[in-house]
Amino acid sequence: MKKTRQMEKLNRGLIAIKTEKGVYLSWRLLGHEEQSVSFSVYRDGQCIAKELQSGTNYLDKEGSGTSTYQVRPLIGGIEKPDFEEAAVWDTNYLSVPLQKPPGGITPDNIQYEYSANDASVGDIDGDGEYEIILKWDPTNSKDNAHAGYTGSVLLDAYKLDGTHLWRIDLGKNIRAGAHYTQFLVYDFDGDGKAEIVCKTADGTIDGTGAVIGDSDMDYRNQKGFVLEGPEYLTVFEGISGKALETIEYEPPRGRGIDWGDDEGNRVDRFLACVAYLDGERPSIVMCRGYYTRAVLAAYNWRGSRLEKVWTFDSLEPANEGYSGQGNHSVSVADVDGDGCDEIIYGSCVIDHDGTGLYTTGLGHGDAIHVSSFIPSREGLEIFQVHETPSDHGTEIHDAQTGELLWSIPSFEDVGRGMAADIDPRYEGAELWSSTHWRDGDGGLYSSTGERISEQSPQSFNFAIWWDGDLLRELLDHEYDMETGIGIGRIDKWDYENGRLVNLLTAKGTRSNNGTKGNPCLQADLFGDWREEVIWRSADSKSLRIYTTTDETDYRFYTLMHDPVYRLSVAWQNVAYNQSPHPGFFLGHNMKKPPAPDLYYPNEVNVQK
């Protein structure tokens, strides 16, 4: 059942890049526009191409580095004015300067510095262009299993030209690490401007300098864990970083043993996501726990107050089977076709109304991917790897029912898994995991479970649409185990010879989160439907947003107007980052994507 969803009103996202062949242009087709809409291209006020209908990119062989460009759509044969102009980049990336914060010293006299870490995007000022919300990671950030003090977690907002809008300091009572601060950036109240939502504590300083709670309180114990004191949930205004409302954080801490231990390891494992629980407007879902107990609390923000919608607790009667099923990540999609989103919480799914939809019982895992991986089947599939050795260590199941479609066994923790269409000879996506090369179980699998190669890509971190065909490329890093340095890269799988071919090595960049090899963010940020990737510079004094300059005749609306993909970008920074996927199969021999049924803030339904 389709419902009309509130979505971002984006601008054309036009970019122009100097290449050896000329100036490459790329722009958005918006979700409400007809696939057949044509475009005219203007250079320095003069029309240089009329009524383009293949692709939403163009190579101007006569362009120069000083040119400026516009694209104008033709609707009903009439050219519509567009005042958005693009100057020419001299490289295939946009450099966004950062205000790197100074380091500090912990109570046990350990010095730390900061590096740019996970990021998200939202239109916080309503101009149709994304801003970047960046988390700064202190060099002494910790996994929950490790003791020690950390520096404060900081959140910054930047415009794409590097304008620094504000900084939020979450304070000494929020510990730094991948599992602690899950921040959401989204327009929750439908005013056309995104808010920021995250867990806060006594001593958090908002973007205007105002303090939340009691700034004098320090709840850190001698091991650096924060196991006492109040916990808050705060909504911040996007444009200013001002705290708009702060309430008690739910799910609350309670007894540590209910989450698996009293040491601070499992009680402070957090997840978060955005979901259209009513099918029309976005809600906030904050989550705690997954090894044992799991609790999810859903809220609506409608401009003045947080209103709780429901709470799901795996300790409640009839929910016992949902304990221990969570992942180090979360996904969101309408899996049952009722128009409302479900939360894919690892090996279980929570329905839009806060009740359990099903659990596979296969337990915790690190990596999960949700999309249409088998296009001949109705609906979506969930591909997942699992930590506990079993006959189903790597598996794919039906997203609506949990029915196991096929699996391969594992003999140890399967820490990585990937689903992407990288071989056009087989239907849908190809699937592989780290079990294949660690345990010798073997290679690469088709979407239907056929083992198609003993060789699989030794790349498991992210997948990205980059070049001009419909196959997906692999986003990873060159990682040095001794130095801990990872340099961003994009590779293509040569399916005929069973090897990776490098397309881009982003020299001067660094990946995030150790062997995870994450970029700061991967998303369709501007230009046509293909994706951009943000890596930090080696000194964290800038972000680099890389984009493709390959021409393509394929034309799709921006992926950011696909509900599943846009929500994937919203939860991408959560815990163990995962690559985004759309809610339809995008790959070789694909069908025409479904048109999104959407409306923009302060406008009526704009669906064609």
Side-chain angles (χ1 to χ4, degrees):
M1 180 187 302
K2 290 187 72 174
K3 294 190 177 184
T4 304
R5 293 190 176 216
Q6 168 201 313
M7 299 292 280
E8 294 158 310
K9 186 176 183 180
L10 299 173
N11 63 13
R12 192 58 67 187
L14 174 65
I15 54 174
I17 304 162
K18 191 73 176 73
T19 70
E20 293 180 356
K21 298 179 181 179
V23 175
Y24 170 83
L25 308 174
S26 183
W27 61 92
R28 291 186 179 111
L29 182 70
L30 300 171
H32 71 275
E33 293 180 318
E34 295 283 355
Q35 290 277 343
S36 60
V37 64
S38 60
F39 293 91
S40 295
V41 177
Y42 285 76
R43 182 209 313 132
D44 301 326
Q46 300 296 315
C47 184
I48 60 172
K50 297 188 70 173
E51 300 186 25
L52 299 175
Q53 290 187 312
S54 63
T56 48
N57 55 85
Y58 178 76
L59 181 64
D60 177 15
K61 295 180 181 179
E62 307 301 323
S64 71
T66 60
S67 301
T68 58
Y69 291 89
Q70 287 183 319
V71 292
R72 300 177 185 176
L74 281 80
I75 310 296
I78 300 174
E79 189 174 281
K80 301 295 183 180
D82 192 330
F83 301 103
E84 182 183 343
E85 289 189 343
V88 178
W89 305 356
D90 59 3
T91 64
N92 65 334
Y93 63 84
L94 176 66
S95 183
V96 181
L98 301 176
Q99 301 296 316
K100 185 176 179 178
I105 302 176
T106 58
D108 53 355
N109 292 316
I110 302 297
Q111 291 188 337
Y112 61 89
E113 301 295 331
Y114 279 98
S115 61
N117 193 249
D118 295 335
S120 192
V121 292
D123 182 5
I124 63 176
D125 57 9
D127 64 355
E129 179 181 85
Y130 284 121
E131 282 73 46
I132 298 170
I133 309 302
L134 174 70
K135 182 177 77 170
W136 287 100
D137 196 38
T139 49
N140 59 358
S141 65
K142 306 290 184 185
D143 184 88
N144 299 52
H146 300 153
Y149 292 98
T150 75
S152 295
V153 179
L154 309 176
L155 296 176
D156 274 7
Y158 295 91
K159 292 190 70 65
L160 295 183
D161 65 3
T163 300
H164 183 215
L165 300 175
W166 47 256
R167 173 167 292 162
I168 294 170
D169 184 343
L170 294 180
K172 54 183 171 287
N173 293 310
I174 296 290
R175 201 166 186 248
H179 302 289
Y180 292 103
T181 297
Q182 320 305 348
F183 63 100
L184 302 176
V185 182
Y186 215 82
D187 179 9
F188 290 105
D189 60 3
D191 67 352
K193 300 177 182 181
E195 292 80 39
I196 293 86
V197 181
C198 68
K199 184 174 180 284
T200 58
D202 279 347
T204 293
I205 304 172
D206 77 2
T208 70
V211 178
I212 294 173
D214 188 340
S215 61
D216 294 328
M217 297 305 297
D218 186 345
Y219 294 103
R220 294 172 294 183
N221 64 23
Q222 292 183 343
K223 294 183 177 180
F225 292 102
V226 181
L227 301 178
E228 297 179 333
E231 301 175 289
Y232 306 127
L233 178 66
T234 300
V235 178
F236 297 93
E237 183 179 55
I239 189 62
S240 68
K242 176 184 178 181
L244 298 176
E245 186 180 20
T246 297
I247 63 173
E248 291 186 4
Y249 184 86
E250 188 172 341
R253 186 184 293 119
R255 298 191 313 158
I257 197 63
D258 288 339
W259 308 92
D261 64 52
D262 282 324
E263 302 300 318
N265 182 3
R266 299 185 175 188
V267 65
D268 276 359
R269 301 276 181 162
F270 299 100
L271 301 172
C273 60
V274 181
Y276 287 69
L277 300 176
D278 64 2
E280 298 176 353
R281 302 185 70 184
S283 298
I284 301 159
V285 183
M286 306 304 292
C287 319
R288 187 176 212 144
Y290 38 77
Y291 287 117
T292 50
R293 183 187 184 190
V295 182
L296 294 76
Y299 297 88
N300 285 338
W301 171 256
R302 299 299 180 244
S304 59
R305 59 186 296 267
L306 281 165
E307 178 183 355
K308 189 163 72 171
V309 181
W310 50 253
T311 300
F312 175 90
D313 189 339
S314 68
L315 292 188
E316 292 294 321
N319 290 343
E320 295 88 348
Y322 291 81
S323 290
Q325 303 303 310
N327 262 36
H328 284 303
S329 58
V330 66
S331 190
V332 178
D334 174 14
V335 303
D336 55 11
D338 63 0
C340 304
D341 285 334
E342 282 71 49
I343 294 89
I344 297 97
Y345 205 71
S347 294
C348 62
V349 173
I350 310 305
D351 209 345
H352 69 276
D353 61 0
T355 61
L357 185 64
Y358 69 82
T359 174
T360 67
L362 295 177
H364 167 72
D366 286 0
I368 190 170
H369 302 276
V370 181
S371 188
S372 175
F373 297 125
I374 313 175
S376 61
R377 294 186 77 254
E378 292 264 340
L380 306 177
E381 292 80 40
I382 298 172
F383 176 65
Q384 189 175 4
V385 299
H386 298 276
E387 189 168 290
T388 302
S390 76
D391 290 338
H392 311 299
T394 298
E395 52 89 8
I396 185 170
H397 58 270
D398 182 273
Q400 180 174 354
T401 66
E403 175 192 1
L404 188 67
L405 301 179
W406 59 265
S407 65
I408 60 173
S410 65
F411 307 97
E412 61 181 356
D413 177 359
V414 184
R416 300 283 198 280
M418 180 52 64
D421 185 14
I422 59 173
D423 190 331
R425 299 172 297 183
Y426 301 90
E427 178 198 3
E430 283 67 54
L431 311 171
W432 66 103
S433 75
S434 53
T435 287
H436 300 174
W437 58 278
R438 286 183 179 174
D439 302 327
D441 198 28
L444 186 63
Y445 289 78
S446 74
S447 62
T448 54
E450 177 188 358
R451 186 184 181 193
I452 60 178
S453 172
E454 293 184 3
Q455 301 295 320
S456 66
Q458 302 306 294
S459 177
F460 306 92
N461 289 334
F462 272 57
I464 185 170
W465 282 288
W466 186 259
D467 65 9
D469 63 28
L470 295 179
L471 298 179
R472 215 167 189 194
E473 285 66 58
L474 301 176
L475 191 161
D476 212 321
H477 63 166
E478 293 180 358
Y479 189 69
D480 187 312
M481 294 293 290
E482 292 186 5
T483 63
I485 291 175
I487 300 171
R489 62 181 292 151
I490 294 173
D491 299 303
K492 192 172 187 68
W493 178 244
D494 177 356
Y495 55 86
E496 294 180 320
N497 297 300
R499 63 190 181 97
L500 289 170
V501 177
N502 184 245
L503 301 182
L504 171 71
T505 297
K507 295 180 180 179
T509 69
R510 294 292 183 267
S511 59
N512 288 335
N513 305 322
T515 60
K516 298 292 185 293
N518 306 137
C520 297
L521 186 72
Q522 173 196 328
D524 180 10
L525 297 177
F526 34 63
D528 64 19
W529 55 275
R530 289 167 298 171
E531 299 170 282
E532 282 69 46
V533 55
I534 305 178
W535 283 294
R536 60 185 169 100
S537 64
D539 58 8
S540 280
K541 292 184 178 180
S542 66
L543 298 177
R544 294 185 185 177
I545 309 178
Y546 283 82
T547 189
T548 185
T549 57
D550 291 337
E551 296 174 76
T552 183
D553 288 335
Y554 293 107
R555 172 188 282 208
F556 308 114
Y557 57 82
T558 173
L559 295 182
M560 296 298 260
H561 277 166
D562 175 73
V564 176
Y565 185 92
R566 182 61 185 92
L567 297 181
S568 297
V569 172
W571 55 248
Q572 187 181 140
N573 68 78
V574 170
Y576 288 177
N577 309 29
Q578 304 285 287
S579 54
H581 297 280
F584 58 88
F585 174 68
L586 200 168
H588 184 68
N589 281 340
M590 66 180 288
K591 297 178 181 178
K592 181 181 178 180
D597 198 359
L598 57 84
Y599 72 93
Y600 299 136
N602 305 315
E603 294 186 9
V604 297
N605 181 8
V606 296
Q607 170 62 24
K608 53 184 177 290

